[in-house]
Amino acid sequence: MLLVRKNYVLPTLVLILTTYFLFSTLPPGGEVPYVTKSSEPNKAESTKDDNRIHWSKHPEQHPIVDYISLPTSSPSPIPQIQYGFSPESWLDSLWRKKKRNAVKEAFKHAWMGYKDNAWLRDELSPLSGGYRTSFAGWAATLVDSLDSLLIMGLLDEFEEALRAVERIDFSTTESIQINVFETNIRYLGGLLGAHDLTDGKYPVLLKKATEIAEFLYGSFDTSNRMPQSRWEWTRSAAGLSIQPSGNTILAELGSLNLEFTRMSQLTGDPKYFDAIQRISDNLETAQKQTQVPGLWPMLVDAQSLRFVDTRFTIGGMADSTYEYLPKEHMLLQARTPQYQRMYELAITPIKERLLFRPMTKDGDDILFSGNINVASRSSQKKIEPQAEHLKCFLGGTVGIGAKVFNRPEELSVARKLTDGCIWAYDIMPTGIMPETLYLSPCEDMSDCQWDEQKWHRDIRNRSPKHSNIAETDAAAKALIEKFKLPPGVTEISDPRYMLRPEAIESVFIMYRITGDKKYQDAAWRMFKNIEKTTRTKYAHAAINDVRKTKPAQIDYMESFWLAETLKYFYLIFSEPDLISLDEYVLNTEAHPFKRPS
């Protein structure tokens, strides 16, 4: 018996050491102690100041006589989005939790940096330890992070933040203009997401959401009920008239749906849904009449409701308008076919006019979305092969659309778009995708062999001074060396990484849709490289050039780092039923709204 017992000693010791390693290994950058400190306001106590203008509601100059109510027809069945995951082995669970805990540690490090140095301010400056006022000064990072705290199980920190939220005065700000879109997705979205995750346990969340929604509703008091997207709120507070802009960014007009719809669902007040439904009706009316039927241009004349801009993209300035089509369909329980119609009208020209395959040395079958400008006849069918980090959301959106609208043939498109952004991460020295880059497009989407001379030619043509560059391979090679261009890349026009979430967003969604663990593997590579490169004493910082192995950091950490980027990294390494895509709709700031049942 003694001999038998000794035979178990070595395996038992190995198991203990393995378990210790898995759960105690620190994430890249090392551990920073996480200590709860007092949440008493030290910098930005919100108090009434008689010298400041406060929002007060005046009789509307353009009142609504008959509100458009939430659709009341019977809900239609929506196909399941998430993959049917099987139980995982104990070893898979062990490794997954190790990665999830590394993400949680990164979040706690950044949260403590914000709490200790920028509490109740909008954003932490992660190098200097200062702060930035970027979104009206209402503690954007704090409100934006509420549901992340809940998702990661940081309940003490959540309740501490909630006490601070009660002190925010949404009736006044030093900002002259309010960006309605950003305020909507971060503040209103953040409050509603936390409310839905806690099943209404904390009444203050809906109370403060109503305060900010009531405030934002004032931007719709225009002659055509289109919002003034950069709202001169002090004019409205003084009872003066406002009008929408003749140059309104498409995304700022078409990305208010989810938040205002959820407000009407929760409060029973139809005015919020009425406000955004009028926008949707105008967008649908114009959709077939633009210069690229099915798509809307980057800029809209919201005052005259003209859609005559010649530039079309799904990237910055347009992105979330398209993202919200399948999501609004889900939030409304498919009670109206309108948003499915709009999505199906848009996805065809997206595939036919915007998507391109880049030429790569390994022949990767991947896709990106470019831009088109139909200003001249010669450019009407020419795609500008610009890849953009902001466009990386599209893989996830097409994946969701493929599922909820029963378009299974488009799931491969969603995969190729997501794989394209993973490729753009993997080819960079830092392992991080830049803000914008240009690629050498394939001439044949189905058969694309590597052509060195074509790549060189495309590089010379992309160069800002290409007219003075010799038409030789040697000249192209000099540009490749000078600008550190990986094979297939013709220009890196903005080499920064701004802590953006769009790539990991699609990687997360595609993992939940397909169950393919390659997406978890890609997410872990992305996270390790980002955490290692961006970590600072206080939190995490944007970087100036992903082409350098040791890029300089920028004193900048936008609130979406905690609200979106780290949330998606955490969720992809969590159990699949945590924020199931069949139970929640995530707004464009990753705030989860409960799908009505």
Side-chain angles (χ1 to χ4, degrees), residues 300-434:
V300 176
D301 183 344
Q303 187 165 5
S304 64
L305 291 173
R306 297 173 70 239
F307 295 73
V308 296
D309 185 25
T310 60
R311 296 166 297 169
F312 293 81
T313 183
I314 58 88
M317 301 175 68
D319 43 13
S320 46
T321 294
Y322 298 97
E323 175 192 353
Y324 271 23
L325 298 177
K327 292 184 174 182
E328 180 74 355
H329 177 83
M330 290 188 287
L331 194 61
L332 290 174
Q333 300 173 279
R335 291 177 183 270
T336 168
Q338 180 180 22
Y339 291 93
Q340 181 170 355
R341 286 197 308 264
M342 295 169 76
Y343 178 84
E344 291 176 343
L345 276 171
I347 193 63
T348 298
I350 286 174
K351 291 189 297 183
E352 294 177 352
R353 302 294 301 274
L354 293 178
L355 301 191
F356 70 94
R357 178 181 175 181
M359 186 175 67
T360 72
K361 267 199 167 180
D362 295 330
D364 304 274
D365 191 6
I366 55 179
L367 291 173
F368 287 91
S369 179
N371 312 316
I372 52 176
N373 190 333
V374 296
S376 64
R377 187 180 297 273
S378 61
S379 65
Q380 286 199 2
K381 292 189 176 181
K382 185 178 180 181
I383 296 177
E384 180 188 31
Q386 181 211 54
E388 184 181 10
H389 200 289
L390 281 165
K391 295 174 183 171
C392 285
F393 84 95
L394 187 61
T397 293
V398 174
I400 289 174
K403 299 295 285 187
V404 302
F405 297 136
N406 195 23
R407 301 170 67 90
E409 71 281 0
E410 286 166 1
L411 201 54
S412 65
V413 176
R415 276 185 175 270
K416 292 175 184 180
L417 286 164
T418 305
D419 292 349
C421 290
I422 294 171
W423 173 84
Y425 268 73
D426 287 339
I427 63 172
M428 294 296 162
T430 50
I432 304 173
M433 181 181 179

Side-chain angles (χ1 to χ4, degrees), residues 1-10:
M1 289 294 292
L2 185 59
L3 180 60
V4 173
R5 287 174 181 168
K6 285 183 178 179
N7 287 341
Y8 283 103
V9 172
L10 183 58

Side-chain angles (χ1 to χ4, degrees), residues 397-554:
T397 293
V398 174
I400 289 174
K403 299 295 285 187
V404 302
F405 297 136
N406 195 23
R407 301 170 67 90
E409 71 281 0
E410 286 166 1
L411 201 54
S412 65
V413 176
R415 276 185 175 270
K416 292 175 184 180
L417 286 164
T418 305
D419 292 349
C421 290
I422 294 171
W423 173 84
Y425 268 73
D426 287 339
I427 63 172
M428 294 296 162
T430 50
I432 304 173
M433 181 181 179
E435 279 284 286
T436 55
L437 65 161
Y438 289 82
L439 304 171
S440 183
C442 298
E443 294 178 355
D444 185 338
M445 294 268 280
S446 60
D447 182 17
C448 188
Q449 303 299 317
W450 175 254
D451 184 338
E452 193 94 1
Q453 290 186 330
K454 180 186 183 304
W455 177 41
H456 290 174
R457 184 168 61 252
D458 290 343
I459 289 172
R460 293 194 299 267
N461 291 337
R462 276 282 346 146
S463 175
K465 301 176 181 178
H466 68 270
S467 59
N468 298 322
I469 293 175
E471 297 292 321
T472 64
D473 287 345
K477 288 177 180 177
L479 292 172
I480 292 168
E481 178 66 25
K482 179 179 180 181
F483 296 111
K484 299 180 176 63
L485 301 177
V489 178
T490 60
E491 182 186 0
I492 300 177
S493 52
D494 187 344
R496 298 174 300 166
Y497 171 63
M498 307 302 289
L499 304 174
R500 290 200 186 278
E502 292 78 18
I504 184 56
E505 173 185 354
S506 285
V507 171
F508 158 73
I509 291 171
M510 292 308 297
Y511 171 67
R512 288 289 185 88
I513 288 176
T514 67
D516 191 338
K517 290 195 173 183
K518 80 170 189 179
Y519 291 116
Q520 281 187 317
D521 295 338
W524 185 236
R525 292 196 306 274
M526 293 161 65
F527 172 74
K528 286 193 298 182
N529 290 325
I530 291 171
E531 219 278 342
K532 176 182 67 177
T533 309
T534 65
R535 194 176 181 105
T536 74
K537 173 184 175 182
Y538 298 107
H540 299 83
I543 56 176
N544 74 335
D545 196 336
V546 300
R547 297 170 297 185
K548 299 177 180 178
T549 54
K550 293 184 178 180
Q553 295 176 326
I554 306 169

Side-chain angles (χ1 to χ4, degrees), residues 15 120 152 169 274 276 333 384 441 450 520:
L15 181 60
L120 280 168
M152 296 188 192
D169 183 0
D274 172 273
I276 58 90
Q333 300 173 279
E384 180 188 31
W450 175 254
Q520 281 187 317

Side-chain angles (χ1 to χ4, degrees), residues 173 180-182 223 226 350 376 380 398:
T173 172
V180 173
F181 163 74
E182 296 287 1
S223 56
M226 295 299 100
I350 286 174
S376 64
Q380 286 199 2
V398 174

Side-chain angles (χ1 to χ4, degrees), residues 232-296:
E232 300 169 289
W233 74 276
T234 56
R235 287 184 57 85
S236 298
L240 302 175
S241 63
I242 58 169
Q243 287 300 330
S245 171
N247 287 303
T248 298
I249 293 171
L250 174 64
E252 294 185 355
L253 186 66
S255 308
L256 309 173
N257 309 51
L258 294 181
E259 299 78 10
F260 272 51
T261 296
R262 193 66 184 133
M263 277 300 299
S264 283
Q265 290 175 339
L266 291 171
T267 65
D269 192 334
K271 71 181 182 183
Y272 302 113
F273 179 73
D274 172 273
I276 58 90
Q277 189 56 39
R278 292 174 188 275
I279 298 174
S280 294
D281 289 344
N282 282 314
L283 288 175
E284 186 178 28
T285 299
Q287 192 173 9
K288 292 182 180 179
Q289 302 170 3
T290 68
Q291 296 187 63
V292 181
L295 303 181
W296 300 281

Side-chain angles (χ1 to χ4, degrees), residues 95-134:
W95 279 107
R96 176 182 58 75
K97 289 176 181 177
K98 173 185 179 291
K99 296 168 184 174
R100 183 198 64 188
N101 292 343
V103 177
K104 184 175 180 178
E105 160 60 28
F107 179 93
K108 291 196 296 185
H109 171 62
W111 177 253
M112 280 304 299
Y114 170 75
K115 180 185 168 186
D116 288 346
N117 299 280
W119 191 243
L120 280 168
R121 301 291 188 175
D122 280 348
E123 291 172 348
L124 169 70
S125 299
L127 297 181
S128 62
Y131 61 85
R132 297 172 64 244
T133 299
S134 45

